[in-house]
Amino acid sequence: MSLLKVENIVVDFATRAGPARVLDHVSLSVAEGQTLGVVGESGCGKSMTALSIMGLVPSPPGEIISGRILFEGEDLIQADEPRMRKIRGKDISMIFQEPMTSLNPVFTVGEQIAESLRLHEQGSAGDAWTKAVDMIRAVGIPEPELRAKNYPHQMSGGMRQRVMIAMALACGPRLLIADEPTTALDVTVQAQIFDLLKDLQNKNKTAIILITHDMGVIAQMCDHVAVMYAGKVIETGTTQEILASPRHPYTKGLISCVPHLEEIPSEERLPLMEIPGVVPPLTQLGKGCAFAPRCSQKMPDCEGVKPSMVTCSQSHSAACLALSNEVPA
């Protein structure tokens, strides 16, 4: 049973160039103890999906037009702000993409973790501080009593990201949203952070939505995958299905772009694949498939007909006209 179910969310933004449909009938789900990977290029709607779940879509200029976000059966879109403040940090937490801009520079990291605990849990300020230090220790930061008194600028990028994880996990959330949690970190620190997330998930059965553009991370961390392009989910399935038999041309392109270090002479290696073109502006999407201008398998109908999801297997679907039994006229 799904812990979180996003159903047909539509989000519009008012821009100088006209209205932009940032999310176009996006549907996702994640079960307790599982990890859903949301993958796609920058600007495809991954982070806006996360902000919609958290109730943090900036309004104006943004507005959730329709859809439901069901968390344990409760529609978060209908929840008022006091209710969402109780849910954020306690039941649903988020690791934001850039810790240096997400942490407050004028408070110590210990104070920032303790503040979340004071808001959501009963207990004294001393209890909150003690647990904050324990959380810093749990995420693998050495000398936690000393580090809790540090300001963000006194810590390395990897340590700040660990602080963000400690803050997000302090109240034992049922759902953790991790938005590019290892951006700009070296590969050693990335591996440590992903191991940390796995350990904490195994202990607490936390559901994780992992937002990334890295298919290697998807293979390492995720049970299920949702591929997004231009504000739409264009393919969903188990990680094994998506990586072994992608059905949408965009997903195939993403996987082909991953470099492989085969044990063959360099002169025999094929050149690294690339997807030509760029994601179109969301104010200029046509009537058809948004990926059509970049697609090597484009058909005449693709520029005039929006594809709907086609079931490939019990757990695998993709939105591509080429998969339809009958291509619409």
Side-chain angles (χ1 to χ4, degrees):
M1 183 177 176
S2 297
L3 178 68
L4 176 83
K5 186 176 287 187
V6 178
E7 297 180 346
N8 292 309
I9 287 295
V10 176
V11 175
D12 283 357
F13 266 63
T15 73
R16 292 180 179 178
R21 180 136 294 180
V22 179
L23 297 181
D24 188 359
H25 294 90
V26 169
S27 295
L28 304 167
S29 65
V30 61
E32 183 181 69
Q34 291 194 334
T35 300
L36 170 69
V38 182
V39 65
E41 292 173 86
S42 297
C44 70
K46 305 186 301 295
S47 295
M48 189 53 60
T49 300
L51 293 177
S52 299
I53 294 169
M54 296 292 290
L56 295 175
V57 174
S59 178
E63 182 183 4
I64 297 179
I65 303 298
S66 62
R68 300 195 301 170
I69 300 175
L70 301 176
F71 180 72
E72 295 186 310
E74 179 182 0
D75 188 354
L76 301 184
I77 292 179
Q78 302 302 322
D80 57 19
E81 185 55 28
R83 173 60 180 153
M84 285 305 300
R85 280 198 295 267
K86 290 182 179 180
I87 292 173
R88 286 189 215 109
K90 175 62 176 175
D91 298 312
I92 305 175
S93 287
M94 183 168 175
I95 304 170
F96 291 91
Q97 190 166 353
E98 177 45 62
M100 198 58 194
T101 58
S102 301
L103 293 169
N104 193 320
V106 301
F107 292 98
T108 66
V109 297
E111 289 173 322
Q112 294 182 62
I113 299 171
E115 180 185 20
S116 176
L117 291 162
R118 290 196 301 269
L119 286 173
H120 295 292
E121 295 186 357
Q122 294 181 347
S124 66
D127 292 337
W129 179 264
T130 299
K131 187 168 182 181
V133 173
D134 290 341
M135 289 304 303
I136 292 173
R137 181 181 294 108
V139 296
I141 296 177
E143 300 179 296
E145 292 85 359
L146 176 64
R147 288 298 185 178
K149 299 175 183 178
N150 283 173
Y151 292 89
H153 73 272
Q154 296 175 298
M155 309 184 87
S156 69
M159 284 188 177
R160 287 196 295 266
Q161 197 66 300
R162 288 169 184 264
V163 169
M164 290 292 298
I165 294 172
M167 190 180 304
L169 295 173
C171 297
R174 304 286 308 284
L175 172 66
L176 174 67
I177 302 173
D179 188 359
E180 302 275 10
T182 58
T183 296
L185 301 182
D186 64 68
V187 291
T188 303
V189 178
Q190 286 185 34
Q192 292 172 349
I193 287 177
F194 286 135
D195 287 343
L196 171 64
L197 290 178
K198 279 185 176 180
D199 289 343
L200 295 172
Q201 183 179 49
N202 292 334
K203 290 178 184 177
N204 304 321
K205 294 184 178 180
T206 306
I208 297 176
I209 296 178
L210 178 59
I211 297 171
T212 183
H213 60 272
D214 189 333
M215 297 303 292
V217 170
I218 291 291
Q220 177 187 351
M221 289 290 296
C222 300
D223 302 295
H224 294 82
V225 182
V227 183
M228 294 190 69
Y229 186 81
K232 291 181 68 72
V233 174
I234 58 170
E235 187 163 5
T236 61
T238 65
T239 303
Q240 183 177 2
E241 287 172 325
I242 295 292
L243 295 180
S245 57
R247 303 303 301 275
H248 196 283
Y250 178 65
T251 311
K252 294 176 183 178
L254 286 179
I255 295 172
S256 298
C257 291
V258 178
H260 299 279
L261 300 177
E262 298 92 350
E263 294 183 359
I264 57 177
S266 58
E267 61 270 14
E268 296 180 17
R269 294 178 188 166
L270 295 173
L272 188 63
M273 299 293 292
E274 63 178 19
I275 303 174
V278 296
V279 179
L282 297 179
T283 55
Q284 300 176 19
L285 296 179
K287 295 181 179 179
C289 174
F291 187 62
R294 308 173 67 187
C295 184
S296 61
Q297 303 176 32
K298 180 175 67 174
M299 301 181 296
D301 290 315
C302 291
E303 293 187 350
V305 179
K306 277 193 176 182
S308 55
M309 279 289 193
V310 176
T311 300
C312 305
S313 72
Q314 186 175 0
S315 57
H316 190 183
S317 300
C320 180
L321 291 183
L323 299 176
S324 303
N325 293 327
E326 181 178 351
V327 179

